[in-house]
Amino acid sequence: MRRHPFRITAYSIALIVQISAISVFAQNAISKKYWIEFADKQIAASDFHPGNPIYDQTIARFSKKSLLRRAEAVRSAGLSATVTLEDAPICNSYIDSLNSISISVLSKSRWTNSVSALLSVSQIKQLQRYSFVKSIHPVLVSEPASAQGRTPRALPVPQTPTDQYCGYDSIIYHYGYSQEVLKDINVVPLHMMGFDGSGVMLGMCDVGFRWQAMIDIRKDRVLGTYDFVNKDSNVAVEGNDPPGSDGHGSNAMSAAAGYYLDSMIGPGYNTSLLLAKTENTVSESPAEEDNYAAALEWMEAKGVDIASSSLGYRKFDSAFTSYEYKDMDGKTAISTRAAARAAKLGVLICTAMGNYGQQDPPTLIAPSDADSILACGAIDISTNAIINFSSNGPTFDGRIKPDICAPGLNVPVLTADNIIVGFSGTSAATPLVAGACALIMQAHPEASAQQVRTAVLQSGKLFSDTLANNTYGYGKIDAYNAALKLGTIIGEVTLSKTDTIYSVCVPIAANNGVKDPEIVYAIADGAYSNTIPLSLVTDSLIYSATFPSLTKGTHIKYYIQTSDGADTATISPRRATDSVYSFYIGDTIITPLGLVHSSVVGDSIKIYPNPAGLVFYILMPQKAKAIVYDNLGKALIEYTQLNAYDNRLDISLLPNGAYRVVVQLADGNTKEYPLVIVH
């Protein structure tokens, strides 16, 4: 495959876009942006319950996924209820009072019970007389960039594997320029086991995202976008935005979740994405905290699992009041309070430490001072040393910061112009951590965000109370070992066929040894009373077993079960037997064979081995129609009336790359599967 030039651009190392200073006029003649925090929501906590109109209006905002995550947070973190008074809307009568003195609300934060508005000195004096106004303080802008990049190094060309086990063709041989970085944070074993971020929702806040132009971001992965500056769904450059101002967010998104075979690949390359444009690059406040807080509330209500931001708030232009070190206490900055609230509700928050260097007093920025999050520092993988621009802790109240580190110098990304560049700064380290955490969450869907955070800290190269420090935090993230700390890992289950014999391969790993792995299966709707032991194929993580010969049309339902050295049992899928793998026995002999996880509903299609065959199956008990689309949504091949049990799709004309297959079933249902082809 043709290689793309690997070069660095000026904006690829920026934490955020630098905005020129604003002229300051007479104090009473100019309006500045402030947060107005209210004293209450005019409803007692005892009245906030189902059946109350305010409660019912509040809970309707949340997706099912958000409510399920919150319910888990109630159990694990001791919250009082799934939806609380903090989630209730701001009192309309308070906003009416602001309007009556010509104050227009710009943004609202339910969690902090605050609104932002442009205020003159006289208006501030009026508000201070209102009993329902608790406090008034400035909306602040984000820090300017200070990191300096270096000339990127070209990474070695990946070598083709000489042998394969059970048809596993690991993506590690197609990382391109990303190989060194992804090996460094140890995501390679998780990719090899089939984890790619599927099923995990990653939210990102930044200056903007030109995602529709980017060839490394599959369009169906973007589940929602919102521009909190212009109040529309366009998160790319628009209106008076400076050209290229959406480049920083595009780079960060690529670092976390990009996929461009043989060139660059992010850790969580198949995560679902929510994108929030929170930065106003043309007004008096180029990176407003109110937008960040509003974006977190929006993402959390949508059901996001991880929120990543390469933004920060501390030092500002002369027209604004800067935060001081004493404000980095985990409870002062609006962005910090929003991040802490989201973390309490079960979202994993990853945020940049900042690029102000190792200084005294410490240089960390909000919201990295928040508790229970992952504040990310930047290291140079060539030396394993902190990069001189990476900010340091502790917080003002004495907590260790950063929490974790990741590579932050010349991290390969595909820009919005589809050019490979080196992206530097704590801005680059943060999305790498977020993408790696998506893999850990996929490997352990039962784990809470705080359990994942704890495992990440415990996997750090410096983990211990005596070694952790305010330069490196707990050290460099080790994704695979973090996943192992949460328990046994059961990877992607692959079903293959030779003649009438069906075999299963599955990667399994545990910190203290894998014990008695087996397939537990049922025939048709019978009991799960049949077992087949899984045997280690080689010195790898791969285990395999073969089903007995059965007649065509037989429906097999199965799950994987194993224990570790401590006799702790793990099953896959996690909710077996409510959710299991299944397939129907067919009698056509064509190899190699790629199968989905279930007869109708599947997670993915992959072609094995390398080099790939030209035909693969989707096995299901009814006829279907299938369309193969490329990453841009263009239909390439259409198959009509595929036969039940034996549905073969010819891919001989498709080049290497990522595709998606949409299957339209005879009963009217539609299923969609990612497809990776490696010839």
Side-chain angles (χ1 to χ4, degrees):
M1 178 174 287
R2 186 173 73 87
R3 299 279 172 184
H4 292 265
F6 187 85
R7 66 172 187 261
I8 194 163
T9 62
Y11 67 86
S12 70
I13 63 169
L15 177 64
I16 19 219
V17 178
Q18 178 86 36
I19 305 300
S20 60
I22 303 161
S23 299
V24 182
F25 298 98
Q27 191 176 30
N28 279 315
I30 190 170
S31 293
K32 296 181 183 179
K33 203 168 191 180
Y34 289 85
W35 278 107
I36 305 165
E37 184 175 358
F38 299 121
D40 55 51
K41 291 191 174 180
Q42 280 200 336
I43 178 176
S46 58
D47 294 330
F48 190 71
H49 53 69
N52 181 288
I54 295 178
Y55 179 92
D56 294 342
Q57 175 192 351
T58 300
I59 200 169
R61 295 179 59 242
F62 297 97
S63 68
K64 181 179 179 181
K65 185 176 183 187
S66 176
L67 293 174
L68 288 172
R69 175 177 33 73
R70 281 173 168 239
E72 177 58 35
V74 168
R75 289 190 292 270
S76 62
L79 295 179
S80 59
T82 303
V83 176
T84 68
L85 197 56
E86 289 175 280
D87 301 306
I90 293 168
C91 179
N92 284 329
S93 65
Y94 295 164
I95 295 176
D96 291 341
S97 296
L98 300 189
N99 293 337
S100 70
I101 57 173
S102 301
I103 296 174
S104 297
V105 169
L106 299 176
S107 185
K108 302 176 185 178
S109 170
R110 295 177 181 229
W111 290 348
T112 60
N113 198 22
S114 306
V115 298
S116 64
L118 294 172
L119 303 178
S120 65
V121 170
S122 61
Q123 288 172 322
I124 292 174
K125 291 179 178 178
Q126 285 180 282
L127 288 173
Q128 288 172 337
R129 293 194 288 267
Y130 289 160
S131 60
F132 61 81
V133 173
K134 181 179 179 181
S135 64
I136 305 168
H137 49 91
V139 171
L140 301 177
V141 300
S142 63
E143 62 158 353
S146 61
Q148 297 298 315
R150 301 178 187 172
T151 303
R153 291 194 312 272
L155 300 177
V157 177
Q159 299 298 309
T160 301
T162 55
D163 49 15
Q164 304 292 325
Y165 301 114
C166 288
Y168 275 82
D169 174 27
S170 175
I171 197 173
I172 65 172
Y173 302 106
H174 303 281
Y175 283 147
Y177 294 115
S178 299
Q179 180 170 298
E180 187 176 357
V181 168
L182 297 186
K183 285 177 63 178
D184 193 61
I185 60 175
N186 207 15
V187 303
V188 172
L190 293 176
H191 282 172
M192 187 185 72
M193 296 181 79
F195 299 112
D196 56 10
S198 295
V200 178
M201 189 185 297
L202 170 63
M204 304 194 76
C205 299
D206 216 291
V207 184
F209 308 87
R210 209 180 321 158
W211 62 278
Q212 291 179 314
M214 298 173 67
I215 59 177
D216 63 332
I217 302 297
R218 208 176 64 241
K219 306 306 173 277
D220 59 331
R221 292 173 54 200
V222 180
L223 302 185
T225 61
Y226 195 74
D227 180 345
F228 286 84
V229 179
N230 298 305
K231 312 302 181 188
D232 59 34
S233 61
N234 181 13
V235 292
V237 166
E238 63 177 316
N240 295 322
D241 291 340
S245 59
D246 51 9
H248 182 271
S250 300
N251 290 354
M253 178 173 57
S254 182
Y259 182 90
Y260 193 39
L261 203 66
D262 293 328
S263 295
M264 69 74 48
I265 293 173
Y269 61 88
N270 208 29
T271 54
S272 300
L273 297 168
L274 285 177
L275 307 177
K277 179 180 176 181
T278 60
E279 307 306 294
N280 186 347
T281 58
V282 295
S283 76
E284 82 289 341
S285 48
E288 300 151 339
E289 278 194 290
D290 54 347
N291 290 340
Y292 174 87
L296 274 192
E297 291 188 27
W298 172 72
M299 290 175 176
E300 191 279 326
K302 293 274 187 186
V304 77
D305 299 298
I306 304 170
S308 177
S309 62
S310 295
L311 309 170
Y313 310 89
R314 183 162 173 183
K315 296 182 180 179
F316 317 109
D317 295 337
S318 59
F320 301 91
T321 303
S322 292
Y323 283 131
E324 299 177 17
Y325 175 54
K326 66 181 178 61
D327 299 315
M328 300 294 105
D329 59 359
K331 57 187 179 182
T332 297
I334 289 290
S335 56
T336 297
R337 292 163 64 186
R341 171 68 177 166
K344 189 176 182 180
L345 293 172
V347 179
L348 183 62
I349 302 294
C350 302
T351 194
M353 273 292 292
N355 293 347
Y356 281 109
Q358 305 285 304
Q359 298 179 31
D360 188 18
T363 59
L364 77 164
I365 58 177
S368 68
D369 63 315
D371 193 16
S372 303
I373 69 165
L374 289 175
C376 305
I379 59 170
D380 181 345
I381 61 175
S382 66
T383 62
N384 268 330
I386 201 76
I387 305 175
N388 58 6
F389 58 67
S390 188
S391 289
N392 64 317
T395 62
F396 187 73
D397 56 328
R399 288 172 289 115
I400 288 175
K401 292 289 176 175
D403 296 292
I404 203 71
C405 288
L409 186 64
N410 295 328
V411 173
V413 298
L414 199 67
T415 71
D417 297 314
N418 294 312
I419 299 171
I420 303 246
V421 301
F423 185 41
S424 297
T426 54
S427 287
T430 302
L432 287 178
V433 171
C437 288
L439 304 182
I440 300 168
M441 283 188 170
Q442 183 187 5
H444 292 285
E446 76 288 350
S448 69
Q450 287 306 304
Q451 288 172 327
V452 171
R453 176 182 180 269
T454 298
V456 167
L457 298 184
Q458 291 177 348
S459 78
K461 301 301 184 183
L462 298 178
F463 177 72
S464 80
D465 291 336
T466 56
L467 292 178
N469 58 59
N470 291 300
T471 298
Y472 294 90
Y474 288 89
K476 182 169 58 180
I477 186 172
D478 184 326
Y480 178 57
N481 280 309
L484 285 173
K485 288 184 181 298
L486 289 168
T488 299
I489 308 170
I490 300 179
E492 182 179 50
V493 177
T494 302
L495 185 67
S496 61
K497 174 188 175 188
T498 302
D499 296 331
T500 59
I501 303 301
Y502 288 78
S503 300
V504 166
C505 282
V506 56
I508 306 175
N511 257 340
N512 50 5
V514 176
K515 181 179 178 182
D516 301 327
E518 62 183 0
I519 298 172
V520 181
Y521 72 98
I523 298 176
D525 293 323
Y528 288 88
S529 56
N530 307 289
T531 60
I532 309 171
L534 285 157
S535 301
L536 189 65
V537 175
T538 65
D539 257 345
S540 66
L541 304 172
I542 310 300
Y543 291 77
S544 71
T546 299
F547 285 97
S549 181
L550 296 166
T551 60
K552 180 180 178 180
T554 302
H555 187 191
I556 302 295
K557 297 184 290 185
Y558 69 100
Y559 61 91
I560 307 299
Q561 178 174 279
T562 189
S563 298
D564 61 12
D567 291 325
T568 301
T570 303
I571 59 175
S572 178
R574 288 295 199 270
R575 292 188 297 109
T577 58
D578 292 335
S579 174
V580 294
Y581 306 117
S582 68
F583 65 96
Y584 287 78
I585 299 293
D587 62 357
T588 302
I589 305 170
I590 295 181
T591 56
L593 175 65
L595 291 175
V596 298
H597 285 179
S598 167
S599 58
V600 175
V601 181
D603 296 320
S604 64
I605 301 170
K606 292 187 179 179
I607 305 303
Y608 303 109
N610 185 10
L614 303 180
V615 177
F616 71 95
Y617 286 100
I618 301 177
L619 294 190
M620 56 190 65
Q622 56 180 285
K623 289 188 175 183
K625 174 182 177 181
I627 305 173
V628 179
Y629 294 90
D630 65 13
N631 268 343
L632 300 178
K634 180 181 178 182
L636 302 178
I637 303 174
E638 182 172 318
Y639 302 89
T640 57
Q641 291 300 304
L642 304 178
N643 294 323
Y645 305 130
D646 186 11
N647 303 316
R648 290 170 289 171
L649 281 68
D650 186 344
I651 59 159
S652 59
L653 298 179
L654 294 178
N656 289 346
Y659 303 87
R660 61 190 179 95
V661 180
V662 176
V663 179
Q664 300 172 358
L665 304 176
D667 61 10
N669 289 322
T670 298
K671 306 297 178 185
E672 184 171 319
Y673 312 103
L675 166 63
V676 178
I677 297 176
V678 182
H679 286 292

